[in-house]
Amino acid sequence: KAYADDLTLITRNTKDMQLTVDSTNEWLKWTQTMKAKPSKCIALGIKRFEKTIKNEKFTPITSTVYSPFDPCLVIDGLPMKFIINPLEKDPFKTNHFKFLGRWLNPLLSEKNIKQKKSALLANDIDVIQGSKLNGFFKLWLYQFYVISHLSWPFMINDLDSSFAMDLQRSINCKLKSWAGIGRSVDNGLLFRSKRNFGLGLTPLSLHYQRMQLIKCELLRTSKDPTIIDLYKTRESHNARLTRTWKATNALTVVNAEV
């Protein structure tokens, strides 16, 4: 899979991957205009580790049966970095890798990613709070800057509605302060339409659902048949889930209404 100059290689085993990496490097040299940059190449392997195998070549990073591991790949004569890099100065980057705007964790955990997004929102709110604008201008910045700043993370990450609701609860006091209303006032005043005597702001949970629906529609109508198959698999799996909000389930209802 390739996007601009970002290339993703996936194989079933490390031997095939090293062969693919070598072939890709040869092709880059053949172009005479491109070359690999080992310092930016990241490797990740995931496999089943059997306890009965004594001559295991790779070392799992967890004690679980299925575990990530360093595949020890080489590109252009230099070792490729493992996704977990303790030499990184940023603690978050020691076990996360950013690809096309999405942070990837080898354990597929999103706990730290959620914390990072929460910090991003808090920083935006602090910047607006520190400005010399009046309250309603600050609400305008929330509506047209803060929400837009979260659009890409809300679309590409598989988060959940409860996380978006938690983000909203963390900033409702600021929004009420900017609007000049008391903290005990019902939060609905912020988000009801002006026709219903509200301020007409967009709640983050609604914006999250909107971006997830956009993502699902992009995947469902993709020109890549592999993407469509993957989407249908996810759609089939989510159809059995009724207690949690899933964009694939909502999209089926939305398209029927359209």
Side-chain angles (χ1 to χ4, degrees), residues 99-231:
F99 182 71
L100 297 181
R102 176 170 179 168
W103 289 102
L104 303 176
N105 180 284
L107 301 178
L108 304 181
S109 170
E110 293 177 334
K111 179 180 178 180
N112 292 335
I113 296 175
K114 288 180 178 181
Q115 293 176 350
K116 190 174 182 66
K117 299 310 173 187
S118 298
L120 172 69
L121 174 63
N123 181 69
D124 285 345
I125 294 297
D126 289 342
V127 170
I128 296 174
Q129 177 67 22
S131 68
K132 297 182 179 180
L133 300 172
N134 65 37
F136 282 97
F137 275 116
K138 291 178 179 178
L139 290 178
W140 188 93
L141 285 175
Y142 161 81
Q143 182 68 23
F144 296 102
Y145 169 71
V146 172
I147 290 181
S148 297
H149 204 189
L150 289 170
S151 294
W152 186 247
F154 274 178
M155 184 169 71
I156 63 174
N157 290 288
D158 296 323
L159 304 173
D160 49 73
S161 294
S162 60
F163 171 65
M165 294 173 67
D166 290 340
L167 289 180
Q168 189 68 66
R169 281 191 286 267
S170 69
I171 63 173
N172 279 341
C173 288
K174 289 289 187 194
L175 298 181
K176 289 180 179 179
S177 173
W178 296 342
I181 59 179
R183 296 181 62 180
S184 60
V185 174
D186 178 43
N187 292 333
L189 177 62
L190 297 170
F191 309 115
R192 286 197 300 268
S193 65
K194 295 180 180 178
R195 183 190 308 173
N196 294 316
F197 307 103
L199 295 178
L201 299 176
T202 300
L204 295 181
S205 58
L206 179 62
H207 187 60
Y208 166 76
Q209 293 180 359
R210 176 189 299 156
M211 298 312 299
Q212 287 289 300
L213 287 171
I214 291 173
K215 176 176 69 172
C216 286
E217 187 65 9
L218 290 171
L219 299 177
R220 188 183 70 85
T221 59
S222 173
K223 294 182 179 180
D224 188 339
T226 303
I227 297 299
I228 296 177
D229 289 341
L230 288 171
Y231 174 77

Side-chain angles (χ1 to χ4, degrees), residues 45 47 49 56-62 67-72 82:
K47 70 185 289 284
F49 287 88
E56 178 62 60
K57 179 180 178 181
F58 302 104
T59 304
I61 65 172
T62 67
S67 172
F69 66 95
D70 185 355
C72 302
F82 185 39

